[in-house]
Amino acid sequence: MVTVSFTELRAGLFKLGLSHTPVIAHASLSAFGEVVGGAETLLRATLDSVSALVMPTFTYMTMITPEVGPPNNGITYGSELDLNRMAEPFRPDIHADRQMGILPEVLRKHPRAKRTAHPIQSFAGIYAEKFLSAQSMQNPLGPIGALAEEDGWVLLLGVDHTVNTSIHYAERLAGRKQFIRWALMPDRILECPGFPGDSAGFEAIAPELVNEARLVKIGDATVQAVSLRVLIQIVMERIKADPLTLLCQRADCERCNAVRDSVKLKKLPY
Ligand SMILES: [Zn+2]
């Protein structure tokens, strides 16, 4: 396995030209090879290469599936009784979901980091208060919109577009169906609107970004960066041209199927 040092990481990231740019990042530490000093090193090199850093610190383990609820919601009500029993109530210092990778959790614990209070879709950031404060229960991905307004970029550190949360923001702007989910709080269950669809089909956007993305290879990882404004515009145009674009092909995917149903309903002639 290739060994990657802080100096190599910083030199590689510097080539992306983002030192005056705020970014939302997604990362796989293991994609790089053996990073000397681990996730702390990758975080430090990333912070050195951007003007502000935001990462999702989502907490899917707070989610509760109710017995009944609104229809066409991409969910099978009453199906997750065991998971409900294991759900963890949201606290401001609850760990980020392990499927987000290790970097968001290291960012969240950084002494200068702030974290938003959304019980499922929180974000953490450094030098990023004004972006974080754009989140609300009605607009959980608001920090991405605020980053786009300030010419922010998406930074994919050894991961592809299937984890690119900003595509969800563009889906919402394009009018794609959103979902309701529920989070366990210490004293109640909280309804959370604006939950996005499934991202498993998002890599299909990659060919449209080849002329837009900046790419560098660091260790074994491909690192790419793309302007949020450009990404959002391309995704919105693509959804306008084909309302079923970027959905996954899994026959039993409840959220992608709910999006397909919502498109059919819009096409009815009354
Ligand atoms: Zn799907």
Side-chain angles (χ1 to χ4, degrees):
M1 201 194 298
V2 62
T3 300
V4 185
S5 68
F6 172 75
T7 311
E8 287 167 300
L9 279 169
R10 196 170 60 173
L13 293 172
F14 183 76
K15 288 182 197 156
L16 295 170
L18 299 175
S19 55
H20 299 288
T21 302
V23 306
I24 175 167
H26 308 273
S28 164
L29 180 67
S30 60
F32 287 83
E34 178 83 43
V35 174
V36 180
E40 283 79 6
T41 300
L42 179 57
L43 179 63
R44 203 152 48 90
T46 305
L47 281 171
D48 271 6
S49 311
V50 301
S51 71
L53 176 63
V54 173
M55 294 190 82
T57 49
F58 295 172
T59 50
Y60 300 118
M61 58 283 188
T62 65
M63 288 169 73
I64 291 282
T65 302
E67 291 284 316
V68 288
N72 310 317
N73 192 28
I75 198 168
T76 304
Y77 292 111
S79 66
E80 304 284 5
L81 293 178
D82 287 342
L83 276 178
N84 284 354
R85 269 191 285 274
M86 289 190 294
E88 296 178 47
F90 180 79
R91 308 175 311 270
D93 65 344
I94 194 171
H95 61 92
D97 197 294
R98 280 171 188 90
Q99 63 176 276
M100 315 293 301
I102 187 175
L103 204 65
E105 184 62 3
V106 173
L107 170 64
R108 182 187 73 76
K109 289 180 172 168
H110 190 287
R112 284 205 301 274
K114 299 269 191 295
R115 194 228 201 135
T116 66
H118 193 288
I120 302 170
Q121 295 177 275
S122 64
F123 290 85
I126 295 182
Y127 315 126
E129 280 83 352
K130 68 174 160 184
F131 308 118
L132 298 179
S133 66
Q135 185 178 58
S136 65
M137 286 304 287
Q138 292 302 322
N139 190 13
L141 301 183
I144 294 168
L147 281 161
E149 277 173 28
E150 302 256 336
D151 292 318
W153 282 51
V154 181
L155 179 60
L156 299 175
L157 297 155
V159 290
D160 67 16
H161 291 287
T162 58
V163 298
N164 187 348
T165 309
S166 300
I167 295 175
H168 286 309
Y169 182 76
E171 287 182 311
R172 177 188 167 110
L173 289 185
R176 182 167 274 183
K177 182 175 178 59
Q178 307 280 291
F179 300 93
I180 297 168
R181 290 295 181 265
W182 291 265
L184 183 63
M185 304 295 286
D187 56 349
R188 70 204 145 113
I189 289 170
L190 189 61
E191 186 174 293
C192 302
F195 193 80
D198 174 40
S199 61
F202 282 2
E203 185 59 10
I205 200 71
E208 293 199 36
L209 296 171
V210 283
N211 294 321
E212 308 292 344
R214 296 177 189 165
L215 255 77
V216 289
K217 188 99 180 168
I218 307 175
D220 284 336
T222 299
V223 175
Q224 58 173 318
V226 62
S227 150
L228 274 168
R229 283 186 201 266
V230 169
L231 174 73
I232 290 167
Q233 189 189 346
I234 286 176
V235 171
M236 287 181 70
E237 281 169 7
R238 199 174 154 128
I239 293 175
K240 200 174 164 193
D242 172 13
L244 303 182
T245 190
L246 303 176
L247 299 179
C248 87
Q249 300 306 317
R250 232 180 61 222
D252 62 347
C253 181
E254 291 187 286
R255 280 179 293 163
C256 288
N257 286 335
V259 170
R260 288 186 186 97
D261 289 346
S262 76
V263 169
K264 271 185 226 151
L265 282 171
K266 277 184 197 163
K267 279 188 186 157
L268 290 177
Y270 48 84

